[in-house]
Amino acid sequence: MLPSIIAIDGPAASGKSTIGAAVAANLGYLYFDTGVMYRVVTAVALARALPIANEAAVTALAERVQIDFCAPTVADGRQFTILADGADMTWDIRTRAVDQNVSPVSAYPGVRRAMTAHQRRIGLQGNVVMVGRDIGTVVLPEADVKIYLDASEEERARRRHCERVARGEAVEFATVLREIQKRDQIDSSRDVAPLKRADDAIYLDSTGMAITDVIARVMDLVAAKELAH
Ligand code: DC
């Protein structure tokens, strides 16, 4: 039998979303990007002018907000539509303001508790590729395949810089690099569920690798797990 739960963790812009979505499509599995949930909480907090430093208010929001994913409702290049309490937030979660505030939001224990409970429920249904920071360590420690996807800081900053320039933003490479370093630092050093490689995760460094080669490598790891059963 093919492994049913595949966890992919790694730092910002390590390629988790691209690789995770492609592997899920190849296997016919659900692709679930958990970072989106922390981004929705952050985007809604900013839209409601809640101070991000107000842990109680941001946590209460995370506990109450209804987050839904559905097939694309607009043909504007989106992979899926993301709704928060029924409002389309698909692009609002990708702004610079969200990039800059999502790490502190995701460090709040109450926010993580609320998001982790949802993610675990979805993951345990199986046939899923779930990507994030703590999937193999906290959300789904029983995952059949765990991959820790990494790339050098410079390469990750280059990828994010290209994406943002393609979206029409005038942003310096050095700024993107600094922001990535700051997010890595917060994501890895927080008290609850920090970004770290699970003991049983396979480490995959994608620096200098073509996307198709990384996808092929992950598919090989999935197939190897099937043979081992
Ligand atoms: O993968 P991303 O850049 O969309 O993630 C946004 C933020 O959410 C990231 O800074 C860390 C946080 N995150 C997390 O703490 N745990 C996850 N499982 C996924 C994301």
Side-chain angles (χ1 to χ4, degrees):
M1 248 200 0
L2 274 175
S4 171
I5 302 179
I6 298 167
I8 305 181
D9 290 302
S14 56
K16 301 180 301 289
S17 315
T18 310
I19 305 305
V23 168
N26 283 346
L27 295 168
Y29 284 9
L30 173 74
Y31 164 63
F32 195 90
D33 178 358
T34 56
V36 162
M37 298 185 75
Y38 294 98
R39 286 175 176 275
V40 169
V41 174
T42 309
V44 174
L46 292 171
R48 293 186 190 167
L50 283 184
I52 295 298
N54 186 338
E55 179 172 353
V58 174
T59 302
L61 166 67
E63 286 165 351
R64 259 182 258 131
V65 69
Q66 166 77 31
I67 303 173
D68 291 301
F69 299 80
C70 58
T73 50
V74 184
D76 58 1
R78 61 182 63 190
Q79 279 179 312
F80 35 72
T81 289
I82 298 151
L83 304 171
D85 292 333
D88 188 342
M89 301 291 288
T90 310
W91 296 118
D92 304 72
I93 65 165
R94 301 289 168 197
T95 62
R96 186 140 181 235
V98 171
D99 269 356
Q100 285 168 339
N101 287 287
V102 66
S103 285
V105 166
S106 67
Y108 289 145
V111 171
R112 300 205 71 79
R113 232 182 344 265
M115 301 296 114
T116 301
H118 281 296
Q119 293 160 10
R120 196 164 158 71
R121 210 166 26 245
I122 292 163
L124 287 179
Q125 290 172 10
N127 289 2
V128 64
V129 177
M130 194 167 275
V131 311
R133 302 290 190 290
D134 59 341
I135 310 307
T137 50
V138 175
V139 178
L140 295 165
E142 60 275 86
D144 301 305
V145 178
K146 296 184 189 179
I147 290 163
Y148 188 92
L149 189 60
D150 207 354
S152 71
E153 256 175 26
E154 287 72 21
E155 173 132 351
R156 292 186 288 118
R158 221 171 7 252
R159 292 173 187 169
R160 246 325 119 79
H161 183 242
C162 286
E163 276 169 25
R164 287 170 56 174
V165 169
R167 283 206 302 265
E169 256 182 71
V171 59
E172 297 283 333
F173 173 78
T175 308
V176 179
L177 179 61
R178 249 194 330 271
E179 288 176 4
I180 291 249
Q181 287 166 333
K182 187 163 172 213
R183 280 182 56 197
D184 284 354
Q185 199 266 328
I186 302 177
D187 293 346
S188 316
S189 61
R190 67 181 176 224
D191 290 338
V192 184
L195 167 66
K196 75 171 186 331
R197 178 182 167 190
D199 291 338
D200 51 352
I202 298 150
Y203 183 82
L204 187 48
D205 184 349
S206 68
T207 311
M209 279 176 85
I211 289 172
T212 46
D213 292 340
V214 182
I215 296 167
R217 177 88 182 97
V218 174
M219 292 302 295
D220 284 349
L221 293 170
V222 170
K225 199 75 185 190
E226 178 185 18
L227 293 176
H229 274 122

